[in-house]
Amino acid sequence: MALKRIKKYFLILLGIIFAIIIGYIIYLFATYYRLPNYQTLAASNKQSTLLKPKCEYRAMTYNIGYGSYPPSYSFFMDGGKLSVAYSKKSVRQSIAGVTSTTKKVDPDFAFYQEIDTNGDRSQHVNEVNLVTKHLTNYGSVFGQNYDSPYLFYPFTHPIGKARSGLLTLTKANVVNASRHSLPIATDLSKFTDLDRAFTVTKSRVSNGKYFLMVNIHMSAYTKDKSIQNAQFKKLFTFIQDEYQKGNYVLVAGDYNHAILKNSSKIFKTSTPKLTWTNPFPKNKLPNDFYIPTMGLKQAATPSVRNLNQPYKKGRTFVTMIDGYILSKNISAKKIHVHNTEFKYSDHNPVVLDFELK
């Protein structure tokens, strides 16, 4: 009798577990959605500055890692241990570091990626509000990149839900802004690769043309190179079309592709086989565009570190996946990586000085 009772309870437990798993799968599919391919975005705290040719401006692009990656942090999807930020306080400290770094660099245009409005992983800190609150001399445009359902992984400490996106700050006037969806996987990996997009913020120039600021964060963990190629194709088609209209086009962001050749020699670290270190497809870049890299090889300051372990200078894998794509009517004057030693994120900001021709 005791054996039958044990067997009965075991089958009941098994049934409950099975029901939970099926229920969770139904939840994932029921709550998953993608934003429309094209979406108009609102600009807040609009500025009135009119851009002028032959004037020097400064841009800064910074993947802030949703304020959750101090140097001691390692992330489970890169082979590390953790999935969410240490605490609400640590997130606020990292975001404070991001804003102080921005003030120090003093860009005319700032592009942030992986900035959360709400998320279990970032302790439910609204990072967009924090950044804009402390950088009040900028207009701002926020575009949602993804709104992830609750991911019950890793099982011991799930990463949970996250709503995150792209924030562009500008001291120039904003005519309009928009969000453009990027192609992503359609199989089950869409739940981990999440939604992807780029935003476009448009400003008027004194010569009657327009300056387009494109903020982008491309897929990192997809193993399907066709998805990454499709994302580049959409971006390249868009910027080429805009340039042919006579506009100035600046793309800033995290491409999750190595921008510099021979990165392992430059940064003196062995290159692991990672989905976000494939070479940037420069051969597919439209002829009217280029990637400014002058001095980056010589300076050898990385823009990103691997999160498989806490940061250890000289031992942790580092490379360069952040930067700019410019139309040829924009002249790059200087570019450098502002070295924070990854104090506030797993990325360092990349700073560009440029002129509109």
Side-chain angles (χ1 to χ4, degrees), residues 54-102:
K54 297 183 180 180
C55 287
E56 191 163 303
Y57 298 102
R58 172 167 289 183
M60 182 190 78
T61 183
Y62 197 177
N63 182 328
I64 68 168
Y66 47 92
S68 301
Y69 299 147
S72 60
Y73 197 96
S74 67
F75 185 53
F76 78 101
M77 288 192 73
D78 281 324
K81 297 179 179 180
L82 305 172
S83 54
V84 301
Y86 292 136
S87 65
K88 194 181 291 285
K89 180 181 178 181
S90 71
V91 172
R92 290 182 177 276
Q93 287 174 337
S94 291
I95 299 302
V98 168
T99 55
S100 65
T101 299
T102 303

Side-chain angles (χ1 to χ4, degrees), residues 61-66 111 113-114 217 254 322 345-347:
T61 183
Y62 197 177
N63 182 328
I64 68 168
Y66 47 92
F111 305 85
Q113 302 84 40
E114 280 201 300
H217 184 197
D254 176 356
D322 307 87
S345 170
D346 59 322
H347 290 248

Side-chain angles (χ1 to χ4, degrees), residues 255-291:
Y255 306 101
N256 278 306
H257 282 71
I259 290 176
L260 301 176
K261 291 183 179 179
N262 302 316
S263 294
S264 59
K265 292 183 180 179
I266 295 171
F267 300 110
K268 298 179 181 179
T269 56
S270 59
T271 305
K273 291 183 178 180
L274 301 169
T275 53
W276 47 270
T277 57
N278 294 320
F280 188 101
K282 293 183 179 180
N283 60 321
K284 296 181 181 179
L285 194 65
N287 292 330
D288 296 316
F289 289 80
Y290 69 102
I291 298 175

Side-chain angles (χ1 to χ4, degrees), residues 201-254:
T201 303
K202 189 175 183 179
S203 292
R204 185 174 285 106
V205 183
S206 62
N207 59 8
K209 297 182 179 182
Y210 292 98
F211 175 57
L212 273 65
M213 295 164 272
V214 180
N215 192 347
I216 192 168
H217 184 197
M218 304 183 79
S219 292
Y221 296 110
T222 179
K223 295 180 180 179
D224 187 349
K225 290 185 180 181
S226 67
I227 298 298
Q228 294 175 320
N229 291 336
Q231 291 182 354
F232 276 116
K233 183 178 180 180
K234 180 162 184 178
L235 173 66
F236 292 166
T237 299
F238 176 84
I239 62 177
Q240 180 65 23
D241 288 346
E242 290 297 332
Y243 174 77
Q244 289 176 347
K245 294 176 184 177
N247 296 322
Y248 302 95
V249 183
L250 179 151
V251 184
D254 176 356

Side-chain angles (χ1 to χ4, degrees), residues 6-7 33 36 83 90 103 199 210 253 265 277 297 309 312 315 322 341:
I6 292 172
K7 185 177 180 180
Y33 73 98
S83 54
S90 71
K103 289 178 181 179
T199 63
Y210 292 98
K265 292 183 180 179
T277 57
K297 179 180 179 180
Q309 62 179 5
K312 299 175 183 177
R315 294 176 58 186
D322 307 87
E341 296 289 352

